[in-house]
DNA sequence: GATTGACCCCGTAGCAGCTACAGGGTGCAG
DNA sequence: CTGCACCCTGTAGCTGCTACGGGGTCAATC
């Protein structure tokens, strides 16, 4: 691979991404098809490194692929104002808040369940009883 | 359908489950294959109603299918002590705790991001900048 | 008795976001 | 020149459903 380009494995290492995942992103059009070497190996440049890093970071923050697609589109229309970006982030934050409260409710129910364990026999298990219909 | 048995649609209604989901549970062996009427319709009894209610309740509490399979197996060995049930529930609780703290971290990062929006042009968008590699 | 509509059957494919093969080709070090 | 690490494509798998397409059945109404 030439001085200024990365093979898929190197790109993978640099972005802490699975090789298969990179090919997957290409297949779904999230990453552009890169140049190829004479041996048909993918040859990535700095642009792709930057783009993939962005994608991975956004994934870490829990943005979906479609949200990321939108963010990347927005990032390219540099004259627009950034309210749309803010709105996307806000919407995502709202989703997270709602997941958080679901999980908190769930935790409470589970804690209640577990609190009832008296280390007896299955036949008397309060956890199973609590799960069973009344 | 006879007096004491339910068609799949009735079972679905009674347990607030999608008909397709019931057939899916049967396919993966979570529900047993029920008797059939002469017209080859599934005919469910009380046992299946109870079992499916249990499954749905456990799903609501976020147990995976495999965890539920284990719980159902345990429930059938009524002489064992119920520490295993407790352990399963504890493990599930631990997973929830860890998801909760991931989500809280994520929320903080997103809030920080959003706090930086100055309603300017995309070219100066701090949110996009924060997502981009350094 | 024919028609309508709501129900049932089966099998398969789709969703997200990867991951993991199988069955090959390439590049380089010893 | 042999071995190994890497690369290629294409397809199937994962979880937990959901949604079809193309049929059969049942009960009521006309």
């Amino acid at each position: 691979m030439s001085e200024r380009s990365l093979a898929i494995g190197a790109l993978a290492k640099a972005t802490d991404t699975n090789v298969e995942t990179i090919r997957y992103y290409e297949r779904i059009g999230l990453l552009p098809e890169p140049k190829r070497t004479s041996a048909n190996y993918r040859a990535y440049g700095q642009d792709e490194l930057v783009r993939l890093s962005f994608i991975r970071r956004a994934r870490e923050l829990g943005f979906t692929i479609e949200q990321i697609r939108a963010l990347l589109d927005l990032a390219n229309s540099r004259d627009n104002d950034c309210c749309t970006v803010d709105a996307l982030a806000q919407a995502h934050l709202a989703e997270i808040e709602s997941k958080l409260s679901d999980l908190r409710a769930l935790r409470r129910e589970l804690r209640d369940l577990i609190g009832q364990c008296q280390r007896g026999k299955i036949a008397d298990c309060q956890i199973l009883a609590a799960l069973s219909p009344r």
Side-chain angles (χ1 to χ4, degrees), chain A residues 2-134:
Chain A
S2 91
E3 323 88 81
R4 294 244 163 276
S5 72
L6 299 166
I8 196 169
L11 181 65
K13 215 163 268 175
T15 56
D16 197 23
T17 307
N18 204 314
V19 166
E20 324 271 29
T21 304
I22 297 177
R23 285 197 278 252
Y24 168 70
Y25 287 162
E26 179 181 326
R27 210 162 50 242
I28 64 171
L30 198 57
L31 281 176
E33 295 184 18
K35 282 177 238 145
R36 298 289 183 129
T37 68
S38 53
N40 201 31
Y41 284 19
R42 288 170 179 82
Y44 294 100
Q46 283 314 109
D47 286 5
E48 282 106 329
L49 177 59
V50 168
R51 190 176 174 98
L52 182 53
S53 303
F54 181 99
I55 292 168
R56 295 305 287 177
R57 176 89 182 101
R59 284 294 297 134
E60 270 173 33
L61 287 173
F63 286 95
T64 66
I65 300 278
E66 288 317 305
Q67 287 172 324
I68 294 171
R69 230 187 266 278
L71 285 172
L72 285 165
D73 277 1
L74 285 170
N76 277 344
S77 56
R78 305 183 69 75
D79 292 337
N80 289 358
D81 60 32
C82 80
C83 291
T84 324
V85 175
D86 194 50
L88 260 170
Q90 295 272 11
H92 184 40
L93 181 57
E95 278 167 35
I96 289 171
E97 300 280 10
S98 120
K99 269 187 207 163
L100 268 169
S101 75
D102 286 358
L103 275 183
R104 274 191 299 258
L106 234 155
R107 177 175 58 182
R108 198 142 59 85
E109 288 210 65
L110 254 188
R111 277 190 180 153
D112 288 354
L113 238 63
I114 290 171
Q116 309 191 336
C117 182
Q118 267 133 36
R119 329 236 144 238
K121 295 291 168 193
I122 288 277
D124 310 308
C125 181
Q126 293 309 112
I127 295 181
L128 290 175
L131 284 169
S132 297
R134 54 254 134 253

